[in-house]
Amino acid sequence: MSKYSRDLKIIIANEFLAGESSETLSKKYAISSRQIRYWSQVVAIHGDKSFQPTAHLRHAQARLQALKLMWANDWSLGHTSAMLNLVSPGLLFVWLDRYREKGFSGLEYQSRGKPSMKPSRIVSTHCNDEKTVEELKEEIAYLQAENAVLKKWEELRQTKRQQTKKKR
């Protein structure tokens, strides 16, 4: 989620394009003047379609094309980002940095968020009557190991309790 709404960006950019200075708007809205100038550049190019999500840029090939467009036309990060209607020129900088570091594979979309800590346990869809002998043996071995771990954990807990009682 963006820090500033799309509507606010367009309003501030239109005020700048109407002749208000970026420093005045910066003080009025507590936003950097550089950010305001970037927003106004995007609005000047794209108008009402500014800051719309660009799903096609999630693909590595499209990101590479964006970088090639910048290199071919000798554009700056800011101008290229404005031409591509990106939320921030920083996004293009990240792509460029990843491309220099890892090549094309660095441009692949990476999922966000914290990965799950739970191990993926394969659960058989067979009922007990349909399982083979090997599947049943494997399940018994797993349950025995799980039981042993729980017993050891309980034993350690009791030992710890006894030690704390002795200290008192």
Side-chain angles (χ1 to χ4, degrees), residues 98-111:
R98 285 183 186 163
Y99 182 74
R100 286 180 180 156
E101 190 177 305
K102 298 179 183 175
F104 183 76
S105 63
L107 297 175
E108 293 291 331
Y109 178 73
Q110 297 171 347
S111 63

Side-chain angles (χ1 to χ4, degrees), residues 32-46:
S32 76
S33 58
R34 175 181 283 179
Q35 187 71 57
I36 292 170
R37 289 191 303 270
Y38 174 72
W39 291 345
S40 62
Q41 188 178 13
V42 173
V43 170
I45 295 168
H46 298 284

Side-chain angles (χ1 to χ4, degrees), residues 17-55:
L17 293 172
E20 193 80 34
S21 76
S22 62
E23 285 76 23
T24 305
L25 291 171
S26 175
K27 290 176 185 171
K28 181 178 175 182
Y29 293 103
I31 299 171
S32 76
S33 58
R34 175 181 283 179
Q35 187 71 57
I36 292 170
R37 289 191 303 270
Y38 174 72
W39 291 345
S40 62
Q41 188 178 13
V42 173
V43 170
I45 295 168
H46 298 284
D48 291 337
K49 295 181 181 180
S50 300
F51 309 111
Q52 295 282 353
T54 51

Side-chain angles (χ1 to χ4, degrees), residues 129-162:
D129 295 339
E130 297 175 357
K131 289 183 180 178
T132 65
V133 174
E134 286 188 28
E135 288 177 326
L136 290 171
K137 285 181 181 178
E138 189 176 310
E139 185 176 354
I140 289 170
Y142 177 83
L143 292 172
Q144 286 174 338
E146 186 177 39
N147 198 14
V149 168
L150 291 172
K151 283 181 181 179
K152 185 66 176 176
W153 181 69
E154 184 62 33
E155 182 183 319
L156 290 172
R157 235 176 56 181
Q158 287 178 358
T159 306
K160 190 174 181 180
R161 275 192 208 139
Q162 289 174 355

